[in-house]
Amino acid sequence: MQLIQIVEALIYAAPEPVTTSEIAKAVRRAAADSDLPEARAWESLPEAEVAHVIDDLAQSLSEGGHAIELRETSSGWRFMTRVEYGDWIRALLPEMRPEKLSPAALETLALIAYRQPITKADIEAVRGVSVDAMLQKLIDRDLVHISGRADLPGRPMLYETTSTFMEHFDIKSLDELPNATELRRVPLPSASSPRTESQETSLLPGIEP
């Protein structure tokens, strides 16, 4: 039994993406109870060695021409089918065909992504329309969640993006959003200062459904 096989099994068996640290801890725990002679060397396995093994596993899958690849998401490592096989997979599982977000939903999502945590009132101050339906749609898609309440009169709810959002747009950090630094500083109307025509703006560069 080799360490690369153990790491592959752990990532495959994990119901959710698993981090390098979690893999290393699992190997150390199992090694302590194992009778295998090679397990003694794994009882103090460092994360750096696990990271090296993960790189080797990802390279092996890539060079072997497999339809599966090992990718790191915002919440950890997971096996994924390569994008070029998407049409074939959807033919087998038509219920998995993603529903595209409307421009209104995308704009609402972009405001949350760049300005989170943000209240519904502040989103509506920018968009100029009610966003109740859009927020619920984004929550149902697990792209947005309620993260708490603002320290404001009435204690309005705060909205933030989820790990599913990160995976959907293939980013590991919110800093990878297009023009993240600049757009976080763009002056926007808020619930306490309603927008005017001169304050119209867009937060959608590079964001696609």
Side-chain angles (χ1 to χ4, degrees), residues 139-152:
I139 290 172
D140 290 343
R141 293 278 295 272
D142 194 29
L143 296 172
V144 167
H145 72 120
I146 297 169
S147 61
R149 291 185 177 274
D151 189 16
L152 295 169

Side-chain angles (χ1 to χ4, degrees), residues 24-201:
K25 289 178 181 177
V27 173
R28 290 194 293 264
R29 284 196 300 268
D33 297 328
S34 176
D35 295 328
L36 292 175
E38 57 266 37
R40 303 287 70 79
W42 300 333
E43 290 183 24
S44 57
L45 182 69
E47 287 184 32
E49 185 173 347
V50 173
H52 180 71
V53 170
I54 289 173
D55 287 341
D56 288 345
L57 178 57
Q59 183 176 354
S60 175
L61 288 171
S62 177
E63 293 178 350
H66 295 276
I68 304 297
E69 63 180 344
L70 180 57
R71 295 182 61 181
E72 185 179 18
T73 69
S74 61
S75 52
W77 294 95
R78 69 184 303 182
F79 289 115
M80 304 177 72
T81 52
R82 296 187 183 279
V83 66
E84 56 264 36
Y85 298 101
D87 290 341
W88 306 93
I89 295 170
R90 283 189 289 272
L92 175 66
L93 304 169
E95 69 276 7
M96 292 182 62
R97 184 178 298 275
E99 177 187 355
K100 288 190 175 182
L101 294 173
S102 66
L106 268 178
E107 184 171 345
T108 300
L109 180 59
L111 282 167
I112 296 170
Y114 283 100
R115 296 305 177 101
Q116 58 188 308
I118 187 171
T119 66
K120 179 171 76 75
D122 282 343
I123 298 172
E124 291 176 340
V126 176
R127 298 207 59 238
V129 296
S130 172
V131 296
D132 289 285
M134 291 299 98
L135 276 175
Q136 189 57 54
K137 188 179 188 68
L138 295 173
I139 290 172
D140 290 343
R141 293 278 295 272
D142 194 29
L143 296 172
V144 167
H145 72 120
I146 297 169
S147 61
R149 291 185 177 274
D151 189 16
L152 295 169
R155 302 282 291 167
M157 290 183 288
L158 292 167
Y159 296 88
E160 292 184 351
T161 54
T162 64
S163 58
T164 301
F165 166 85
M166 308 278 276
E167 294 178 17
H168 183 83
F169 289 100
D170 195 22
I171 57 176
K172 299 175 187 176
S173 164
L174 292 173
D175 292 333
E176 295 181 18
L177 287 169
N179 303 319
T181 302
E182 296 84 350
L183 289 174
R184 285 170 183 160
R185 294 199 299 258
V186 172
L188 292 178
S190 66
S192 58
S193 58
R195 73 174 183 178
T196 64
E197 291 185 5
S198 63
Q199 289 176 307
E200 295 285 347
T201 188

